[in-house]
Amino acid sequence: MKGGVTVKILFWILFFASCLPAVGAPLALAGGIAFGIVAGNPWGNAASDWSRRLLQTSVVGLGFGMNLSQVLTTGRDAFVYTAISICFTMAAGYLLGRLCKTPQRTSLLITFGTAICGGSAIAAMAPVIKAKEEETGVALATVFTLNSAALILFPPLGHLLGMGQRQFGLWSALAIHDTSSVVGAGAAYGSLALAIGTTVKLTRALWIMPSALIAARFAKSEGRAGIPLFIIGFVAAAGIRTLLPQLDSLWHACTGLARQSLVVTLFLIGSSLTREVLGATGVKPLVQGATLWLMVSVASAAAILLGWIA
């Protein structure tokens, strides 16, 4: 059913439907997941490439809705507790990998993706530690599966815990793997949650480069990881918006377009969660990834609700 004409037509119908303002993030994600599992994604890796590029463009567009001083202040405040979170996650992931007897490189990729920035972090670390293609694929499938669960579970859990928008933005940024899922969960919770979650998440993503350099030193590898360009674009967009407030109507339109493109991104992400991806995940990596994610989620939520992180 995966490559049929009917499936491709249905894919494009759902794709263009997710472009409509009436379609929100949860509906687009649910539709994508249902389509991917039932019909399979007819475009394979191409859809993943589209979602990655669209996500990066959308994040840059969100910068037009933020004041640069707000971005820098939030990023500065987040620097310390993102560092603590990453150290905790890396240590816990190492121990869980040993306990679950997950293959070493696969375990490191899952841990690194959970600690910093999901698929982007895994893609940056894989060549550094000389991971094989199948090891990278299993790690990506594990993190991607948990990302999809986070998008569905986090908003209702945030309301159940009585979190305000700022608290939820912090929690999603610290506990959810990929930027796309953080942005999607934040958008479903509220505009302030979206702004805080995006900024803190991008601050967390900055740790990709130093972490990969440290890993390269231990692995004696020549692999390198740089700062993702979309982070620079996000900060530049916030700077332009701050310098030219008289064009507020234009920046508002850019931000609205970016938010809707995120809805389309979530459909693409959901449609990539096929039965093949779920089957490739494996039990040991999934147990390690899910347990580590649960530990990080509970610990970060407790720290936020107790006022240790504000």
Side-chain angles (χ1 to χ4, degrees):
M1 207 177 161
K2 189 172 180 179
V5 175
T6 303
V7 172
K8 291 181 178 180
I9 292 174
L10 179 59
F11 175 89
W12 285 115
I13 290 174
L14 293 174
F15 176 88
F16 286 114
S18 64
C19 297
L20 300 174
V23 177
L27 182 58
L29 176 67
I33 292 175
F35 177 83
I37 292 177
V38 174
N41 194 310
W43 307 109
N45 293 332
S48 298
D49 291 337
W50 299 343
S51 64
R52 176 176 54 82
R53 294 172 184 174
L54 187 58
L55 167 67
Q56 294 173 352
T57 304
S58 301
V59 169
V60 173
L62 290 175
F64 288 112
M66 302 186 68
N67 185 282
L68 182 60
S69 61
Q70 177 190 6
V71 172
L72 296 177
T73 299
T74 304
R76 181 196 64 202
D77 295 341
F79 188 82
V80 174
Y81 48 76
T82 53
I84 295 173
S85 172
I86 288 168
C87 291
F88 167 79
T89 306
M90 293 297 290
Y94 172 77
L95 294 175
L96 282 172
R98 297 288 295 272
L99 185 64
C100 296
K101 297 182 180 180
T102 308
Q104 186 177 13
R105 284 190 292 255
T106 302
S107 174
L108 180 56
L109 290 175
I110 291 172
T111 300
F112 193 63
T114 305
I116 300 180
C117 193
S120 299
I122 290 172
M125 180 63 80
V128 172
I129 65 171
K130 302 174 183 176
K132 297 178 182 178
E133 184 176 346
E134 57 268 26
E135 294 171 329
T136 304
V138 168
L140 286 170
T142 301
V143 167
F144 181 75
T145 301
L146 297 174
N147 264 325
S148 300
L151 268 168
I152 297 170
L153 296 175
F154 264 57
L157 283 175
H159 289 298
L160 184 64
L161 293 171
M163 286 185 170
Q165 287 202 31
R166 178 177 177 82
Q167 290 177 314
F168 182 82
L170 288 171
W171 186 41
S172 61
L174 293 174
I176 299 178
H177 307 76
D178 274 335
T179 303
S180 58
S181 297
V182 172
V183 171
Y189 210 79
S191 57
L192 179 58
L194 173 62
I196 296 296
T198 301
T199 305
V200 175
K201 179 60 181 178
L202 294 183
T203 302
R204 184 176 157 200
L206 290 173
W207 288 96
I208 290 178
M209 183 172 62
S211 299
L213 290 175
I214 293 171
R217 183 177 180 84
F218 281 101
K220 297 181 180 179
S221 169
E222 295 181 357
R224 293 291 182 268
I227 299 175
L229 292 179
F230 71 92
I231 297 179
I232 298 174
F234 174 82
V235 175
I240 294 172
R241 189 260 187 191
T242 305
L243 290 173
L244 300 171
Q246 64 272 26
L247 299 178
D248 186 63
S249 59
L250 175 60
W251 309 141
H252 181 74
C254 289
T255 305
L257 182 62
R259 289 181 179 175
Q260 195 59 41
S261 69
L262 284 170
V263 174
V264 180
T265 302
L266 293 176
F267 166 74
L268 292 174
I269 290 173
S271 68
S272 297
L273 188 64
T274 62
R275 283 172 287 182
E276 290 81 3
V277 171
L278 292 174
T281 303
V283 176
K284 291 180 180 179
L286 187 58
V287 169
Q288 178 190 347
T291 304
L292 181 59
W293 178 50
L294 181 62
M295 291 172 63
V296 172
S297 299
V298 172
S300 55
I304 291 168
L305 293 173
L306 290 172
W308 298 347
I309 298 176

